[in-house]
Each structure stands twice: as C-alpha cells, then as structure tokens.
Amino acid sequence: HHFRSRQVSDGREIIVEALVETASRHGFRGVRATNFYREWPETICLLNLQKSSWGSQFYMNAAVWFKRLGAERRPKEYNCHIRWRVNSQMEDNQAKAFTQALNLEYALPGDQRQSLVRNGVDTYGFGLLARCESERTALQVADECAPSVLVTLEARRQEKAN
C-alpha cells in the first residue's frame, strides 16, 4: 500500500508540474497548485485541478468570471459564468488518453503522463482561456465550444448593449 500512495503523490506532482509550466507560458499564476488565474479588465480566467471524491482520478476545469457581475478576486470554478471540462473539447481518442493521464491508478510512464496533460491543457485549457480576455471573446469561445460549455443566464442576458 505504501507503494501505491507514493505512486499517487508522484503522479500528482507530475500533473502539477505540467500545469505550472503551461500556465506560466500563458500568463497564468498558480494558487496552491490547484487553481491557476489570469486577470483581464473584464474577466478573470481560471484553470482548476479537481480531485475526484473517490479514487485517484483528477479532472481539469476551465472557467471564466465576468467582473461586471461581481467583485471577486479569486472566484471558485463552480461559481464562474462560463465553465467547461478541459477533456470535453477533445476528439474521443485524445479525451480518453487525457482522462487516463489524469487517473493516477492508470499506469503510465511519468514523461508520457506529463506530455499528455501538457498538450491537452495547452490547447483546450489555457489556450482557450487565453482568448477569453473580454466578455465578448469569452462568449465567442463558449459558442464555438458548445454544447459542452455551461454559460450562466446572467452572462448571456447581460451581454453588453454595444
């Protein structure tokens, strides 16, 4: 059992390392290695690493907060106005490999786990979030990525009357 718990903590390190590296390339700053934020005048973008309540599966969530709808410096992912699971935007094969890479009970060489996580989050996490620098572009990304993106009604309803 000791081995398994070591395998899990090493695996988590590998995932976090891939995140930290990719985050900084896209201008995101990490808070406790589970939340990575980037702030723009209209939005706060967030990538969140979530551990399953059971087992050693992790999930990656991307989210956008509209500052006009609330003064929040570090919004929680589940309260954000736009949200998606990073793997929901991938083709089936990549989504499957990405999900396996985030499952620490799934045996994978560390460098392979790291590159699967890095590539997935680069494109469908930080990459998409980096385009959400305004409400307008964030809603555009949400539309392109529909239907697997949640957008709150207030974010839609309040689309600025330009």
Side-chain angles (χ1 to χ4, degrees):
H1 185 76
H2 175 71
F3 170 73
R4 226 193 92 215
S5 64
R6 210 190 76 223
Q7 185 187 335
V8 166
S9 67
D10 290 353
R12 187 178 183 283
E13 288 298 292
I14 286 169
I15 291 170
V16 168
E17 228 171 89
L19 282 179
V20 168
E21 189 186 305
T22 316
S24 64
R25 259 216 328 278
H26 287 280
F28 283 72
R29 304 251 310 275
V31 178
R32 286 200 301 282
T34 51
N35 291 303
F36 295 84
Y37 291 95
R38 179 163 180 187
E39 196 171 332
W40 275 279
E42 293 186 11
T43 60
I44 297 172
C45 294
L46 158 67
L47 191 117
N48 158 261
L49 178 64
Q50 177 196 351
K51 189 181 181 307
S52 158
S53 321
W54 40 85
S56 26
Q57 176 74 53
F58 284 83
Y59 302 101
M60 245 168 245
N61 307 302
V64 184
W65 176 266
F66 286 6
K67 290 158 99 172
R68 196 167 46 87
L69 300 178
E72 193 72 67
R73 279 210 52 244
R74 294 277 176 258
K76 296 266 181 272
E77 175 269 332
Y78 50 82
N79 290 329
C80 283
H81 302 107
I82 299 179
R83 299 160 52 204
W84 67 90
R85 275 257 159 93
V86 171
N87 61 301
S88 71
Q89 298 307 313
M90 301 173 179
E91 295 294 324
D92 291 351
N93 287 344
Q94 188 184 4
K96 186 173 180 231
F98 186 77
T99 303
Q100 286 171 343
L102 292 176
N103 181 354
L104 301 184
E105 283 176 14
Y106 187 82
L108 263 183
D111 54 348
Q112 201 180 331
R113 188 182 303 277
Q114 200 163 26
S115 78
L116 282 166
V117 171
R118 197 188 301 119
N119 295 338
V121 84
D122 193 36
T123 307
Y124 302 103
F126 296 119
L128 287 174
L129 286 170
R131 293 172 47 204
C132 298
E133 73 279 359
S134 70
E135 290 186 17
R136 191 181 56 80
T137 58
L139 287 165
Q140 232 172 311
V141 167
D143 288 339
E144 283 172 31
C145 296
S148 51
V149 174
L150 296 171
V151 181
T152 64
L153 282 175
E154 58 177 344
R156 285 264 183 235
R157 194 182 312 127
Q158 303 233 338
E159 279 189 72
K160 288 224 248 357
N162 290 340

